[in-house]
Amino acid sequence: NRFLNFKPGEPFNSQKVNDLQQNLSRSNYFSQIGVRQQSEEGYNIPIEIDLTDVTPKRSTYSIGYDSFFDFGFGYGYSILPSNSMGHSIQFVGKVTTNNFYNFLSSYHIPAKDPVTTEYVLSLAYINLELAEGLSKKAIATLSRNYFNNGFLFQPSINFAVERSKPSNESSFNTYLTYPRLNTGYQWSNSEGIISSARFNLDSILTSKVLLSKVDLARFHFQSEAIIPLSFFNLRLASELGKYESSSNDEVPLSLNFFTGGPDTLRGYRFFSIGPGKYLKTFNYELQFPVRPFWSFIVFQDRGVAADEWDAAMKVGTGVGVMWSSSFIGLKLSLAKAEDDPGQPLRVQFSVQTI
């Protein structure tokens, strides 16, 4: 009953009926959903709802290739729902041939309004080998996830233990207890001057008072906009980041800033620029539609992650092809790293959810 957005006796609203069907579909509780308007009975319009439950226990398998992680393998297992209140349990594991592996277990509790809000308790272990070091991290998180009408509000409390091994330096351990707030907004309007846009701000604050090893304030802002022009679309994107700490040498690698790779600074290896306490990236991309779902792209990316705000930005320039639908985008690019020795050309591939 928590999914019903109307009550008997209310004026009929076809949009609410459509919303109900979409919300039931997004819940992932049902394999088949039917919401149908029946013939009028006097002053009433009956709504018939037919639902078929999903198989609660499901497994998924995946295999893929990434221009940085090389070949990867994934496994997922979920129990949804795990009880009559709609709780769910999920496990996801990913392993690649480039020394990256990630294991995540999570328990999801829908709120009073399950369409917009859920509570999540998660445990994760991440091993990530970067161009400038190795990070091994275990983290426990309790979060409240709210998303409605394009607005995201996600506060959480986190406890993390990380072992960092910067290149050519001694390894060190860090433990942190920190509140985190992730907020964002996105919209789309095919008739507007800007057809779609999104903004996101991720904030972390912690202190030795909270039983953390270091004091830390970290902020990471991301934005993207698509502007339709006469014969092409202009995509503009940016990232800005900064952290302040009582001891920069003890900030774990995963909370330093890095850039480089097919989603940030094309032409450069994944996260090969950094670590640093400041982050700046700017992406300029022209998208020329050539047939339905397909576009030819020309781009220039600029960015840097460094300990000085005015550090010179590196430049990547190139071309590529893009396939996009209403929910996913694929990009294959050929880019030149203008500021790497020899200005190498790199072919990179990325998958983006929309």
Side-chain angles (χ1 to χ4, degrees), residues 54 67 73 135 152 154 246 249 272 286:
V54 298
S67 52
F73 309 88
S135 166
L152 171 70
Q154 188 180 53
S246 58
D249 293 336
S272 60
L286 302 181

Side-chain angles (χ1 to χ4, degrees), residues 118-166:
E118 69 171 355
Y119 298 90
V120 181
L121 174 63
S122 63
L123 301 171
Y125 179 78
I126 304 168
N127 185 95
L128 178 59
E129 185 169 356
L130 301 163
E132 297 298 328
L134 176 66
S135 166
K136 298 177 181 285
K137 180 178 183 179
I139 181 170
T141 300
L142 175 62
S143 65
R144 178 183 185 271
N145 303 338
Y146 173 86
F147 184 78
N148 188 29
N149 293 325
F151 179 69
L152 171 70
F153 185 78
Q154 188 180 53
S156 65
I157 185 71
N158 306 263
F159 177 73
V161 178
E162 181 169 347
R163 183 174 181 83
S164 302
K165 176 62 175 71

Side-chain angles (χ1 to χ4, degrees), residues 254-314:
S254 68
L255 294 182
N256 274 262
F257 289 108
F258 294 85
T259 190
D263 296 320
T264 54
L265 189 52
R266 286 163 284 193
Y268 297 84
R269 291 179 298 146
F270 177 78
F271 278 16
S272 60
I273 304 168
K277 61 183 295 186
Y278 295 104
L279 171 69
K280 296 184 291 185
T281 66
F282 301 94
N283 310 106
Y284 313 92
E285 182 176 285
L286 302 181
Q287 303 173 347
F288 298 89
V290 292
R291 57 182 304 175
F293 304 113
W294 289 91
S295 297
F296 174 73
I297 60 175
V298 179
F299 58 85
Q300 184 176 87
D301 302 333
R302 294 174 175 267
V304 70
D307 287 333
E308 299 80 27
W309 174 254
D310 57 355
M313 288 192 289
K314 296 181 180 294

Side-chain angles (χ1 to χ4, degrees), residues 47-64:
I47 303 297
E48 181 182 9
I49 302 174
D50 292 326
L51 303 173
T52 302
D53 292 339
V54 298
T55 303
K57 299 179 181 180
R58 288 175 287 177
S59 297
T60 58
Y61 304 87
S62 63
I63 184 171

Side-chain angles (χ1 to χ4, degrees), residues 18-313:
N18 292 335
D19 290 344
L20 173 61
Q21 182 155 355
Q22 292 179 10
N23 292 337
L24 290 172
S25 177
R26 292 177 185 141
S27 72
N28 295 321
Y29 293 137
F30 311 104
S31 60
Q32 294 183 355
I33 299 167
V35 180
R36 291 179 290 273
Q37 174 186 337
Q38 304 297 303
S39 300
E40 293 185 23
E41 298 178 357
Y43 293 101
N44 297 317
I45 302 177
I47 303 297
E48 181 182 9
I49 302 174
D50 292 326
L51 303 173
T52 302
D53 292 339
V54 298
T55 303
K57 299 179 181 180
R58 288 175 287 177
S59 297
T60 58
Y61 304 87
S62 63
I63 184 171
Y65 177 80
D66 182 274
S67 52
F68 174 77
F69 293 112
D70 295 335
F71 288 99
F73 309 88
Y75 172 73
Y77 180 78
S78 63
I79 304 176
L80 181 121
S82 62
N83 56 33
S84 61
M85 295 180 289
H87 298 188
S88 63
I89 301 170
Q90 298 180 19
F91 170 80
V92 177
K94 298 178 182 178
V95 178
T96 77
T97 56
N98 202 15
N99 202 24
F100 167 75
Y101 43 93
N102 175 23
F103 303 101
L104 171 66
S105 298
S106 56
Y107 190 86
H108 300 249
I109 304 171
K112 183 178 181 181
D113 182 359
V115 175
T116 64
T117 311
E118 69 171 355
Y119 298 90
V120 181
L121 174 63
S122 63
L123 301 171
Y125 179 78
I126 304 168
N127 185 95
L128 178 59
E129 185 169 356
L130 301 163
E132 297 298 328
L134 176 66
S135 166
K136 298 177 181 285
K137 180 178 183 179
I139 181 170
T141 300
L142 175 62
S143 65
R144 178 183 185 271
N145 303 338
Y146 173 86
F147 184 78
N148 188 29
N149 293 325
F151 179 69
L152 171 70
F153 185 78
Q154 188 180 53
S156 65
I157 185 71
N158 306 263
F159 177 73
V161 178
E162 181 169 347
R163 183 174 181 83
S164 302
K165 176 62 175 71
S167 297
N168 303 318
E169 296 182 28
S170 300
S171 59
F172 62 92
N173 297 322
T174 309
Y175 53 88
L176 296 172
T177 302
Y178 57 92
R180 186 172 197 164
L181 179 60
N182 187 22
T183 59
Y185 184 71
Q186 63 184 44
W187 84 87
S188 61
N189 179 7
S190 59
E191 304 298 326
I193 297 176
I194 299 176
S195 63
S196 65
R198 65 177 180 88
F199 305 92
N200 193 85
L201 177 62
D202 185 20
S203 306
I204 292 174
L205 294 172
T206 190
S207 167
K208 295 177 181 177
V209 176
L210 298 176
L211 304 180
S212 294
K213 190 173 183 180
V214 295
D215 300 324
L216 177 68
R218 184 183 188 272
F219 304 95
H220 183 198
F221 176 77
Q222 298 172 289
S223 67
E224 181 184 44
I226 305 293
I227 303 172
L229 300 172
S230 299
F231 303 104
F232 57 88
N233 293 327
L234 171 63
R235 174 182 173 268
L236 302 174
S238 66
E239 287 187 76
L240 298 173
K242 177 184 179 181
Y243 77 74
E244 292 290 345
S245 173
S246 58
S247 176
N248 292 345
D249 293 336
E250 293 183 295
V251 175
L253 276 178
S254 68
L255 294 182
N256 274 262
F257 289 108
F258 294 85
T259 190
D263 296 320
T264 54
L265 189 52
R266 286 163 284 193
Y268 297 84
R269 291 179 298 146
F270 177 78
F271 278 16
S272 60
I273 304 168
K277 61 183 295 186
Y278 295 104
L279 171 69
K280 296 184 291 185
T281 66
F282 301 94
N283 310 106
Y284 313 92
E285 182 176 285
L286 302 181
Q287 303 173 347
F288 298 89
V290 292
R291 57 182 304 175
F293 304 113
W294 289 91
S295 297
F296 174 73
I297 60 175
V298 179
F299 58 85
Q300 184 176 87
D301 302 333
R302 294 174 175 267
V304 70
D307 287 333
E308 299 80 27
W309 174 254
D310 57 355
M313 288 192 289

